[in-house]
Amino acid sequence: PGAGNRFCGSAFQAPHDAIFLLGETRDELGGSEYLKLRTGRVFGACPELRLDEELRLQACVREGIRMGLVRSAHDTSEGGLLVATLESAFGGGMGCQLMLSRHGLRFDGLLFGESAGRIVVSVSPEGEGSLAKLAAAHRVSLSKIGTIGGTRITVAVDGHPLLDADAAELKALHEQSLEKALG
């Protein structure tokens, strides 16, 4: 396809690619799938939509896809950062290593908060510098959160290991829980 017709799915594409979060994580757990699971009900203030930030984020990602820079993209609106990243790994049939920082957020807020205006993307190692320039040009915050590859999914927060599991086993659990949720 021509450069204007590039397609980008949510599945990770290649080992050694870098995983980045575009957009800012805020302390917003209200209305989330996580809270619903924990409490059995939907409550709390929903994440605030900041239209200007959202427009800049979408423009940044679209341009990154057009350039052939962004190899996968998955928004965090359903389940938060951890769920979006896991679904991208499952889709690509690969493991990944996440290295997250709390920056004063609660653990559950960091992992499962559904702050609007955030997209998990993957880029080749050679594309990292170009992504940083693109994000800066669009005034979108950018943080490297991990690497794709291997058969395991590991998550560390502020250097402390939180999860280390076989990617295929986690994917099977995820699919079973989805089947149960759908009846």
Side-chain angles (χ1 to χ4, degrees):
N5 299 326
R6 286 188 196 274
F7 172 78
C8 176
S10 64
F12 288 155
Q13 296 299 306
H16 311 297
D17 278 4
I19 307 166
F20 283 88
L21 177 66
L22 284 163
E24 204 174 311
T25 302
R26 297 185 174 87
D27 211 357
E28 296 175 316
L29 265 176
S32 67
E33 290 291 320
Y34 169 78
L35 268 189
K36 186 170 133 190
L37 193 68
R38 290 292 305 258
T39 64
R41 59 196 184 100
V42 178
F43 72 97
C46 285
E48 186 185 333
L49 176 64
R50 294 165 170 86
L51 202 52
D52 178 54
E53 284 180 27
E54 185 71 37
L55 290 171
R56 285 188 275 117
L57 172 72
Q58 296 295 334
C60 178
V61 172
R62 278 198 311 275
E63 189 176 336
I65 292 168
R66 264 197 311 272
M67 293 166 66
L69 185 63
V70 171
R71 298 186 353 158
S72 71
H74 194 319
D75 76 272
T76 64
S77 64
E78 196 173 339
L81 175 60
L82 185 60
V83 171
T85 307
L86 291 179
E87 287 178 349
S88 291
F90 298 157
M94 289 179 245
C96 63
Q97 298 72 50
L98 289 184
M99 293 147 290
L100 306 173
S101 298
R102 278 176 58 193
H103 299 298
L105 294 169
R106 291 170 37 154
F107 268 115
D108 51 4
L110 169 68
L111 299 173
F112 305 111
E114 296 174 0
S115 296
R118 296 179 309 151
I119 298 179
V120 173
V121 300
S122 63
V123 298
S124 70
E126 308 79 56
E128 291 186 38
S130 299
L131 181 66
K133 286 181 188 141
L134 183 65
H138 286 275
R139 298 189 341 262
V140 171
S141 76
L142 173 76
S143 39
K144 184 172 182 178
I145 60 169
T147 310
I148 299 166
T151 58
R152 300 190 73 71
I153 292 179
T154 63
V155 180
V157 177
D158 294 328
H160 302 289
L162 200 62
L163 174 70
D164 183 349
D166 181 80
E169 287 175 21
L170 265 187
K171 182 179 181 181
L173 280 173
H174 177 71
E175 286 169 350
Q176 290 163 11
S177 65
L178 194 58
E179 283 170 18
K180 279 186 194 146
L182 298 174

